[in-house]
């Protein structure tokens, strides 16, 4: 396969959206699968919408996720590094001279023209088009100004923009996801390509940059599809090869509405801050609208790279099912090495995770959480002082005396257990269950008081898990305390 060059072209206007990450992943998968490059280009031509720190935040998020662009700005020890590189600069505001050159070419070819229309005139024109129900587009008032007039008006200091001249005919977008989509050029506006502030518009800059940066595949959200015929016209007018286009479907909420724009719901960083693991997020987002084999949900990153297939991306909107994300995160948590989970849990827990007992509690409790911000609450009872009412120790219809008796007996039994029985909770469970059978006891009257004695809580992990976490000595200590409570 020929190496693909893909790009993510975000505008640094805020936090990084889940949808942007999905596009970035598709870009990344395709580039890596084919031995190509993934490029990050910053589209900051709309200077009024810039947000300070947005680029740094995007790069930090990418770093946390382990997706580093091959070309484009990067962050190193908190320092933003913007190198020129082979096809740079990769920030559009540093490329104004380049765009100017191509605007001149388009003007010379008569594929573009100066427009001096005032805001008021354009508003009046649009108002009239609305009332007469015409397609809203520029009426070409300035199309046929003579060269001399244009020159004179510019010299007189009049404000102007440059518009592309949409040719007659039709334009077909051959899209990998959506198939062939036909547009009538008559419906397309003579798009402004150079603004009065000297900045190109997105439409011009995106075409020039995709061409000069040798982008082979343009993957982006389907909201850009209506703009693509204009881009194709510009590629052709400028004599550039047209790249492959893939417009990926919108992300939807579970109720199929368009994904909310609220930051907490769509900012990638917020998901990381809640304790979704990078691996789980990458798996979840990298398979939104695309499932490599259709017979399972968990794919590691290398598999996603190897199996990605743009032509199999679904046309219909991809539903962001957060329950699935929770499930996936839980799967990843369950399967992590202890050392790794301690490290990822550290920022979320204010307990000493290097303590062996807490590490064992972590092994038990990580199965029962969906995300790491639920962990502190789960681990606290292991270190908390007893606060329960002694009646909690009493199983159903039995009495405090029964509970006390059972606890005393099981305590003796546990005291006599070999250390080897404490290797894991399963070994402890086997011993305790055998003890119950041998003494013809019923499960509830032994296991309930034992569990409450160990956890101090109405609901908790099993007594076997708790015994394993606490170890023999601490376990016995807790049981003795419970016996004391029962008076
Ligand atoms: N700057 C555009 C955006 O913010 C990029 C669209 C494209 O990928 O062409 O989404």
């Amino acid at each position: 396969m020929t190496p693909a060059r893909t790009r993510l072209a975000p505008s640094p206007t805020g936090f990084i959206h889940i949808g942007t990450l999905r596009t970035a992943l598709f870009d990344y998968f395709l580039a890596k699968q084919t031995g190509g490059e993934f490029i990050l280009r910053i589209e900051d031509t709309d200077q009024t919408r810039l947000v300070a720190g947005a680029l740094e935040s995007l790069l930090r998020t990418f770093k946390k996720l382990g997706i580093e662009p091959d070309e484009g700005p990067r962050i190193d020890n908190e320092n933003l590094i913007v190198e020129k590189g082979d096809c740079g600069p990769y920030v559009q505001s540093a490329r104004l001279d380049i765009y100017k050159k191509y605007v001149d070419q388009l003007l010379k070819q008569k594929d573009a023209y100066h427009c001096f229309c005032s805001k008021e005139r354009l508003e009046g024109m649009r108002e009239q088009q609305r009332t007469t129900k015409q397609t809203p587009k520029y009426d070409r008032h300035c199309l046929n100004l003579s060269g001399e007039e244009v020159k004179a008006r510019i010299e007189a200091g009049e404000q102007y923009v440059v518009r592309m001249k949409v040719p007659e005919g039709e334009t077909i977008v051959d899209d990998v996801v959506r198939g062939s989509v036909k547009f009538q050029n008559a419906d397309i506006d003579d798009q402004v390509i150079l603004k009065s502030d000297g900045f190109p518009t997105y439409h011009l800059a995106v075409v020039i940059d995709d061409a000069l940066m040798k982008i082979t595949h343009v993957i982006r959200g389907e909201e850009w599809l209506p703009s693509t015929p204009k881009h194709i016209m510009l590629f052709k007018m400028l004599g550039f090869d047209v790249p492959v286009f893939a417009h990926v479907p919108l992300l939807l909420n579970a109720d199929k509405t368009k994904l909310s724009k609220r930051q907490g719901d769509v900012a990638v960083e917020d998901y990381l801050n809640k304790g979704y693991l990078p691996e789980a997020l990458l798996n979840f987002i990298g398979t939104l609208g695309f499932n490599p084999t259709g017979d399972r949900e968990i794919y590691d990153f290398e598999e996603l790279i190897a199996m990605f297939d743009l032509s199999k991306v679904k046309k219909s909107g991809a539903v962001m099912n957060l329950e699935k994300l929770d499930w996936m995160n839980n799967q990843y948590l369950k399967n992590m090495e202890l050392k790794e989970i301690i490290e990822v849990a550290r920022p979320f827990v204010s307990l000493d995770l290097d303590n062996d007992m807490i590490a064992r509690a972590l092994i038990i409790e990580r199965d029962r959480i969906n995300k790491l911000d639920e962990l502190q609450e789960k681990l606290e009872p292991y270190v908390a002082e007893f606060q329960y009412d002694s009646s909690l120790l009493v199983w159903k219809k039995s009495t405090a005396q029964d509970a006390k008796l059972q606890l005393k007996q099981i305590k003796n039994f546990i005291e006599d257990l070999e250390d080897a029985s404490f290797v894991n909770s399963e070994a402890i469970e086997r011993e305790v269950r055998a003890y119950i059978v041998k003494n013809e006891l019923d499960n509830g009257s032994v296991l309930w008081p034992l569990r409450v004695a160990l956890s101090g809580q109405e609901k908790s992990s099993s007594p076997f898990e708790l015994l394993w976490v606490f170890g023999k000595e601490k376990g016995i200590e807790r049981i003795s305390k419970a016996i004391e409570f029962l008076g």
Side-chain angles (χ1 to χ4, degrees):
M1 221 183 291
T2 25
R5 275 176 70 85
T6 58
R7 72 356 179 233
L8 183 74
S11 302
T13 52
F15 55 89
I16 154 161
H17 189 282
I18 289 282
T20 312
L21 176 59
R22 200 252 318 242
T23 306
L25 287 177
F26 286 3
D27 281 324
Y28 191 88
F29 296 156
L30 183 65
K32 297 296 145 183
Q33 179 186 81
T34 56
E37 292 88 29
F38 166 54
I39 290 136
L40 177 66
R41 179 176 72 231
I42 304 305
E43 301 207 327
D44 60 348
T45 53
D46 189 349
Q47 295 276 304
T48 57
R49 290 176 61 225
L50 300 189
V51 172
L55 173 57
E56 287 85 343
S57 141
L58 174 128
L59 290 169
R60 267 196 299 273
T61 306
F62 271 10
K63 209 173 193 139
K64 279 188 206 152
L65 293 168
I67 33 177
E68 309 257 356
D70 298 296
E71 293 171 33
R74 61 194 161 87
I75 206 151
D76 215 354
N77 291 327
E78 292 299 299
N79 296 320
L80 179 64
I81 302 176
V82 190
E83 280 161 0
K84 180 158 180 316
D86 288 347
C87 294
Y90 296 91
V91 177
Q92 289 187 328
S93 56
R95 300 171 63 79
L96 300 186
D97 292 349
I98 303 176
Y99 306 127
K100 182 77 189 40
K101 198 180 107 202
Y102 288 100
V103 171
D104 289 345
Q105 179 187 334
L106 290 169
L107 284 167
K108 212 158 135 211
Q109 289 171 196
K110 301 245 180 293
D111 284 322
Y113 58 95
H114 293 88
C115 169
F116 296 89
C117 289
S118 65
K119 229 174 154 180
E120 293 71 35
R121 179 177 184 277
L122 293 174
E123 267 159 25
M125 174 196 82
R126 272 186 216 116
E127 187 52 45
Q128 208 190 343
Q129 286 169 341
R130 259 195 299 273
T131 44
T132 56
K133 299 212 162 36
Q134 284 169 274
T135 320
K137 58 177 211 172
Y138 181 58
D139 61 2
R140 297 193 154 173
H141 182 72
C142 294
L143 176 62
N144 294 316
L145 300 180
S146 69
E148 292 79 58
E149 182 175 352
V150 167
K151 194 161 166 255
R153 288 175 78 167
I154 293 175
E155 275 167 11
E158 254 191 79
Q159 291 264 316
Y160 68 91
V161 298
V162 176
R163 291 179 183 274
M164 67 187 281
K165 184 183 165 202
V166 171
E168 284 173 7
E170 58 185 32
T171 303
I172 293 176
V173 180
D174 277 317
D175 190 274
V176 185
V177 177
R178 317 201 63 89
S180 180
V181 191
K182 198 191 282 181
F183 292 85
Q184 294 305 322
N185 292 2
D187 295 334
I188 298 172
D189 196 15
D190 278 357
Q191 177 70 50
V192 173
I193 54 173
L194 189 74
K195 295 182 279 187
S196 54
D197 61 3
F199 274 76
T201 55
Y202 156 72
H203 303 282
L204 180 73
V206 79
V207 166
I208 295 175
D209 290 349
D210 283 341
L212 299 185
M213 294 179 188
K214 306 185 181 72
I215 301 303
T216 57
H217 294 71
V218 171
I219 304 174
R220 59 186 171 203
E222 70 177 9
E223 67 274 24
W224 296 106
L225 182 64
S227 302
T228 306
K230 293 177 200 167
H231 300 174
I232 292 179
M233 291 171 202
L234 288 167
F235 274 107
K236 291 186 175 161
M237 289 169 181
L238 292 167
F240 294 136
D241 289 341
V242 179
V244 174
F245 288 102
H247 289 88
V248 296
L250 285 179
L251 298 184
L252 306 174
N253 294 309
D255 63 1
K256 302 269 166 92
T257 53
K258 196 175 161 206
L259 197 64
S260 143
K261 282 210 159 70
R262 283 200 310 270
Q263 166 144 0
D265 300 332
V266 292
V268 176
E269 215 150 5
D270 288 345
Y271 283 85
L272 291 171
N273 292 341
K274 283 183 207 158
Y276 289 105
L277 298 166
E279 301 84 323
L281 259 188
L282 292 173
N283 187 158
F284 178 71
I285 295 176
T287 51
L288 281 175
F290 166 73
N291 186 302
T293 57
D295 60 357
R296 60 184 159 115
E297 304 288 354
I298 303 286
Y299 297 93
D300 69 31
F301 203 57
E302 293 307 313
E303 281 180 306
L304 290 177
I305 292 175
M307 293 176 176
F308 182 67
D309 185 346
L310 250 189
S311 68
K312 287 198 185 141
V313 172
K314 287 198 204 80
K315 254 201 241 127
S316 53
V319 173
M320 273 276 289
N321 178 350
L322 292 178
E323 279 166 26
K324 183 163 148 189
L325 172 60
D326 280 347
W327 170 83
M328 230 177 226
N329 205 48
N330 172 274
Q331 297 293 306
Y332 277 89
L333 285 169
K334 269 185 185 156
N335 292 310
M336 268 183 145
E337 296 286 336
L338 178 61
K339 254 192 15 223
E340 253 183 296
I341 183 140
I342 288 182
E343 286 325 306
V344 295
R346 228 181 261 290
F348 293 88
V349 173
S350 64
L351 296 169
D352 176 13
L353 289 171
D354 298 313
N355 172 306
D356 287 346
M357 189 201 80
I358 296 182
R360 285 196 295 273
L362 178 61
I363 295 180
I364 297 294
E365 297 302 334
R366 57 116 168 243
D367 284 10
R368 307 198 171 126
I369 57 165
N370 290 327
K371 39 194 186 14
L372 292 164
D373 69 356
E374 297 160 24
L375 202 52
Q376 174 76 21
E377 203 184 312
K378 294 275 186 201
L379 293 182
E380 253 163 21
Y382 291 90
V383 288
E385 285 302 315
F386 283 104
Q387 274 170 344
Y388 59 94
D389 189 309
S390 66
S391 65
L392 191 60
L393 290 158
V394 181
W395 167 246
K396 285 191 181 162
K397 282 180 222 135
S398 67
T399 62
Q401 279 319 97
D402 294 332
K404 195 168 167 184
L405 179 69
Q406 293 305 340
L407 284 175
K408 277 187 172 165
Q409 287 176 352
I410 189 84
K411 182 182 144 210
N412 292 338
F413 172 74
I414 292 168
E415 265 167 348
D416 290 342
L417 281 180
E418 306 270 328
D419 284 349
S421 303
F422 278 81
V423 289
N424 53 38
S425 68
E426 291 79 12
I428 297 173
E429 178 163 4
R430 270 195 302 278
E431 294 285 359
V432 174
R433 291 210 185 271
Y435 156 89
I436 291 174
V437 171
K438 192 170 156 221
N439 294 290
E440 296 179 5
L441 300 168
D442 71 281
N443 283 330
S445 57
V446 178
L447 299 181
W448 176 271
L450 177 60
R451 194 187 58 70
V452 175
L454 292 163
S455 70
Q457 295 196 322
E458 189 169 356
K459 282 190 190 134
S460 71
S461 304
S462 77
F464 322 111
E465 290 168 327
L466 292 164
L467 269 174
W468 176 66
V469 169
F470 288 126
K472 190 164 168 177
E473 201 180 319
K474 216 173 167 72
I476 300 269
E477 207 179 283
R478 289 202 156 200
I479 300 168
S480 304
K481 269 219 177 104
I483 295 171
E484 253 173 62
F485 272 177
L486 285 163

